Amino acid sequence: MPIINRLAEMQDEITAWRRDFHEHPEILYETHRTSAKVAEILNEIGVDEVITGVGRTGVVGIIKGRNGGAGKSIALRADIDALPMTEETGKEYASKIDGAMHACGHDGHTAMLLGAAKYLAETRNFDGTVVLIFQPAEEGGAGAKAMMDDGLFTRWHVDEIYGLHNLPGISIGEFATRPGPLLASTDEFTITIKGLGGHAAYPHHTIDPIVVGSQIVSAIQSIASRNVAPLESVVVSVTVFKAGTAHNIIPDTAQLSGTIRSLTSDVRKQAAERLKQIVEGICAANGASVDFNFMDGYPPTKNHAAQAEFATKIAEEVTGNDTKVNPDLQPSMGGEDFAYYLEEKPGAFLFIGNGDSAGLHHPEYDFNDEAIPYGCSLFIKLVETSLSST
């Protein structure tokens, strides 16, 4: 079955919502206007319950089916936060907020879930309960975990959970996903090397932290090439190297920061342990001391096999053509805090085509409104099929 006809009538309204969110982007947990607007729309369209302030600024909406909501429940999630960037699209609805921009399409995700919610609240063509999750702070703030810590899965019963993210480079009307690892963990590290500074003309009287840091940058490449199995995936990148103030001074300290990305828990643990061993070993060999700070980021996003297969079948129904759905998308080393939900509940995360747009997190990116009916239809059919009484 192709996209739902009713959505063609709703397209202008949903697009208007999306562009309003786009004009007023908010970062991390500071989504006060966005959350209030989401709650306002949910109340207007007849959602049974609207709860604000979940996980600080998250919003939860509850829609009960024709049997009063008894039985199984399905959760649908949209992220609502923006990025600390300056927009360069030149669109008439471009960001009005200095230094903030919806450069990842969360405005579109939010609008699509609101459109699906309006349809589901009108039709109630399902049994059970739909839990709508509008989550802040996906972009580095672990908003999913914050909502879970605030009782998301204890205050409301959830059997399965699904989410969507747009993906430039995939055509409008197409979807992609895979069972198992889909996105990587996002751990971070900061290494502060403490040497002994001095005159650059007399390096033998110093412990040069720049030399030590350079050895570390080179040595940690062996984690991927020599420590992790060749068929596994890991990225270890130093992205910041700060040291020195002048051409004739060897500094006392150097600071390195970076990220480790992996698709499995075992590789994630192995890479972190090996990084620490390499850093401490090289510093000791050079007579330097070190402060090693490792910060756990998002875990790998791992789809549950049954739910990924189910979502793929629904996507094929929505597109009306199974060639427009990729069920075996190559995993990405990007990260997503939807991973926290999937650690607790069965579910799946999918990508929806955004067409030939600028890339995610690019100042010229914009969500493609033509994707709206496809995303709404997928959300709706996931509910109506999963919560069917037949």
Side-chain angles (χ1 to χ4, degrees), residues 107-168:
D107 51 341
H109 307 161
T110 301
M112 289 190 294
L113 186 53
L114 287 170
K118 179 172 182 176
Y119 180 93
L120 291 168
E122 288 177 356
T123 59
R124 312 269 175 166
N125 187 31
F126 62 92
D127 293 330
T129 300
V130 179
V131 180
L132 308 165
I133 301 169
F134 295 89
Q135 177 213 303
E138 189 281 323
E139 297 288 358
K145 187 175 186 301
M147 292 190 75
M148 290 168 57
D149 289 346
D150 200 14
L152 179 64
F153 292 149
T154 55
R155 295 162 68 181
W156 298 281
H157 174 70
V158 170
D159 289 303
E160 296 179 348
I161 185 166
Y162 296 90
L164 275 179
H165 200 295
N166 79 94
L167 188 60

Side-chain angles (χ1 to χ4, degrees), residues 9 14 44 66 75 90 95-96 127 145 168 185 216 223 235 239 241 248 270 283 311 320 341 348 367 375 383:
E9 302 171 17
I14 301 170
E44 288 176 353
R66 58 197 162 200
S95 171
K96 294 180 178 178
D127 293 330
K145 187 175 186 301
S185 56
I216 290 171
I223 295 173
V235 170
T239 55
F241 196 139
N248 59 347
Q270 180 186 9
C283 287
Y341 300 132
F367 179 83
V383 169

Side-chain angles (χ1 to χ4, degrees), residues 51-66:
I51 305 93
T52 60
V54 183
R56 294 168 63 176
T57 49
V59 180
V60 173
I62 304 296
I63 306 176
K64 298 178 181 179
R66 58 197 162 200

Side-chain angles (χ1 to χ4, degrees), residues 29-45:
Y29 290 97
E30 301 303 313
T31 57
H32 303 291
R33 182 192 183 278
T34 305
S35 298
K37 184 70 174 180
V38 165
E40 176 187 330
I41 294 170
L42 291 175
N43 281 308
E44 288 176 353
I45 64 180

Side-chain angles (χ1 to χ4, degrees), residues 3-296:
I3 59 174
I4 297 167
N5 290 334
R6 171 80 172 95
L7 294 172
E9 302 171 17
M10 297 166 58
Q11 175 77 20
D12 289 347
E13 181 180 27
I14 301 170
T15 297
W17 293 337
R18 201 281 293 184
R19 295 184 179 186
D20 178 75
F21 294 132
H22 191 91
E23 282 188 82
H24 303 91
E26 295 174 304
I27 297 168
L28 291 172
Y29 290 97
E30 301 303 313
T31 57
H32 303 291
R33 182 192 183 278
T34 305
S35 298
K37 184 70 174 180
V38 165
E40 176 187 330
I41 294 170
L42 291 175
N43 281 308
E44 288 176 353
I45 64 180
V47 168
D48 296 306
E49 299 175 41
V50 180
I51 305 93
T52 60
V54 183
R56 294 168 63 176
T57 49
V59 180
V60 173
I62 304 296
I63 306 176
K64 298 178 181 179
R66 58 197 162 200
N67 66 341
K72 186 178 177 181
S73 65
I74 183 171
L76 305 173
R77 176 268 210 164
D79 36 17
I80 65 177
D81 59 317
L83 284 156
M85 296 174 58
T86 298
E87 182 165 353
E88 297 178 5
T89 63
K91 299 289 181 69
E92 60 180 13
Y93 51 82
S95 171
K96 294 180 178 178
I97 309 300
D98 289 340
M101 175 193 176
H102 270 296
C104 205
H106 296 186
D107 51 341
H109 307 161
T110 301
M112 289 190 294
L113 186 53
L114 287 170
K118 179 172 182 176
Y119 180 93
L120 291 168
E122 288 177 356
T123 59
R124 312 269 175 166
N125 187 31
F126 62 92
D127 293 330
T129 300
V130 179
V131 180
L132 308 165
I133 301 169
F134 295 89
Q135 177 213 303
E138 189 281 323
E139 297 288 358
K145 187 175 186 301
M147 292 190 75
M148 290 168 57
D149 289 346
D150 200 14
L152 179 64
F153 292 149
T154 55
R155 295 162 68 181
W156 298 281
H157 174 70
V158 170
D159 289 303
E160 296 179 348
I161 185 166
Y162 296 90
L164 275 179
H165 200 295
N166 79 94
L167 188 60
I170 296 180
S171 298
I172 296 296
E174 296 188 2
F175 294 90
T177 190
R178 65 174 289 115
L182 177 67
L183 293 161
S185 56
T186 61
D187 301 324
E188 301 174 358
F189 58 85
T190 298
I191 302 161
T192 303
I193 303 161
K194 300 178 180 180
L196 177 64
H199 199 296
Y202 310 107
H204 54 296
H205 294 313
T206 72
I207 299 173
D208 191 340
I210 295 177
V211 171
V212 178
S214 298
Q215 291 178 22
I216 290 171
V217 172
S218 296
I220 63 177
Q221 305 312 310
S222 66
I223 295 173
S225 66
R226 290 297 180 267
N227 299 135
V228 172
L231 296 182
E232 297 282 3
S233 298
V234 65
V235 170
V236 184
S237 293
V238 173
T239 55
V240 178
F241 196 139
K242 297 179 180 178
T245 57
H247 69 277
N248 59 347
I249 301 172
I250 290 175
D252 280 316
T253 63
Q255 187 176 84
L256 285 65
S257 298
T259 185
I260 297 181
R261 305 292 177 108
S262 58
L263 293 169
T264 67
S265 299
D266 289 344
V267 171
R268 183 186 190 190
K269 180 181 178 183
Q270 180 186 9
E273 290 175 348
R274 186 63 181 139
L275 174 66
K276 187 172 188 290
Q277 291 168 353
I278 291 171
V279 168
E280 291 179 345
I282 289 176
C283 287
N286 284 276
S289 60
V290 64
D291 287 338
F292 179 78
N293 186 18
F294 188 86
M295 296 148 282
D296 288 332

